[in-house]
């Protein structure tokens, strides 16, 4: 039985490592969060307002690594609709995606617990599961060796057996999250021979929130270089027995 079929469709064109323009094509009644074209600092502040609530988020959405800002992707989870992105290789098909949670859409193939599926646009019947929520793994990619403006977050998932490889491998999805003051999802690449797909998700949530350290055993303070031992203020306050910054 098919569940909710409401999706947010995204399309983007860019030529540099950060987006300069994009076009969004939402389905009727779909809502989209667009950040104003302000500075990257402003984008980080937006992420901070939600990342400070990381203790209430699921572990699949959290990434806490010393030397990096704390990442909480839970605000990107859609409740009554899904993201959808058209396939570049298979005409008439699209990928339906949710972040850090199960899809709202479901059918006999794209079962509960799926986070990324491929389906036919007109019939809305799915063909494969490209990622299960329970398989999510997150990590940092630091092309400059240490955390920098060029750092991104990778979310990897595995799905059903890939028929193109005679079921010797599993379908897979990688979503690369890029710190940005605008928010949109786009397809970067897909390989039909290995059932692999990769998306780019530009969002302020990828800018993260600062780490904290306990100063003199009584006060939690922000570490500008993200070297603090605590990924969130709440975890610092609990250990430091402090209620003020």
């Amino acid at each position: 039985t098919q569940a909710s079929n409401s999706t947010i469709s995204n399309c983007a064109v860019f030529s540099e490592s950060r987006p300069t323009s994009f076009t969004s094509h939402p389905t009727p009644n779909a809502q989209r969060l667009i950040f104003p074209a302000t500075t990257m600092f402003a984008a980080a502040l937006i992420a901070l307002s939600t990342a400070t609530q990381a203790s209430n988020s699921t572990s699949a959405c959290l990434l806490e690594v010393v030397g990096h800002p704390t990442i909480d992707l839970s605000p990107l989870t859609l409740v009554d609709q899904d993201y959808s992105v058209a396939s570049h290789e298979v005409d008439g098909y699209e990928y339906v995606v949710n972040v850090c949670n199960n899809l709202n859409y479901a059918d006999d193939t794209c079962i509960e617990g799926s986070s990324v599926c491929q389906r036919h646009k007109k019939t809305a019947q799915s063909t494969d599961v490209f990622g299960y929520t329970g398989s999510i793994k997150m990590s940092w990619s630091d092309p400059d060796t240490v955390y920098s403006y060029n750092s991104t977050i990778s979310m990897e998932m595995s799905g059903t057996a890939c028929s193109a490889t005679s079921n010797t491998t599993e379908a897979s999805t990688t979503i690369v999250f890029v710190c940005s003051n605008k928010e949109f999802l786009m397809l970067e690449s897909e390989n039909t021979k290995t059932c692999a797909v990769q998306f780019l998700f530009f969002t302020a949530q990828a800018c993260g929130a600062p780490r904290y350290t306990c100063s003199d055993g009584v006060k939690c303070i922000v570490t500008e270089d993200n070297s603090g031992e605590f990924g969130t203020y709440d975890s610092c306050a609990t250990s430091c027995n402090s209620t003020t910054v």
Side-chain angles (χ1 to χ4, degrees), residues 142-210:
D142 299 317
D144 299 323
T145 306
V146 296
Y147 174 75
S148 71
Y149 178 79
N150 295 316
S151 296
T152 57
I153 303 103
S154 292
M155 176 183 287
E156 298 180 342
M157 289 173 275
S158 58
T160 52
C162 176
S163 58
T165 63
S166 301
N167 299 329
T168 58
T169 62
E170 295 176 331
S172 63
T173 294
T174 300
I175 306 177
V176 178
F177 295 87
V178 183
C179 175
S180 173
N181 56 2
K182 292 183 179 180
E183 184 170 284
F184 64 102
L185 173 68
M186 62 173 289
L187 178 63
E188 182 180 37
S189 65
E190 57 185 325
N191 189 329
T192 57
K193 295 182 179 179
T194 60
C195 302
V197 61
Q198 180 164 312
F199 301 94
L200 290 179
F201 204 139
F202 294 89
T203 172
Q205 298 303 138
C207 302

Side-chain angles (χ1 to χ4, degrees), residues 71-133:
I71 300 298
D72 179 10
L73 300 177
S74 61
L76 300 178
T77 300
L78 298 181
V79 177
D80 57 358
Q81 55 190 342
D82 300 300
Y83 303 96
S84 70
V85 182
S87 170
H88 295 169
E89 298 291 331
V90 187
D91 188 44
Y93 284 81
E94 66 183 0
Y95 297 97
V96 58
V97 181
N98 205 354
V99 177
C100 296
N101 210 336
N102 301 337
L103 289 165
N104 295 286
Y105 161 86
D107 64 9
D108 292 339
T109 300
C110 189
I111 59 175
E112 183 177 356
S114 302
S115 187
V116 181
C117 289
Q118 185 187 64
R119 71 181 181 188
H120 193 274
K121 288 183 179 181
K122 291 184 178 180
T123 65
Q125 293 183 335
S126 63
T127 57
D128 293 287
V129 178
F130 276 71
Y132 289 111
T133 308

Side-chain angles (χ1 to χ4, degrees), residues 212 220 230 232-244:
Y212 293 82
C220 290
F230 301 101
T232 64
Y233 173 76
D234 287 346
S235 61
C236 178
T238 299
S239 177
C240 199
N241 194 28
S242 172
T243 58
T244 60

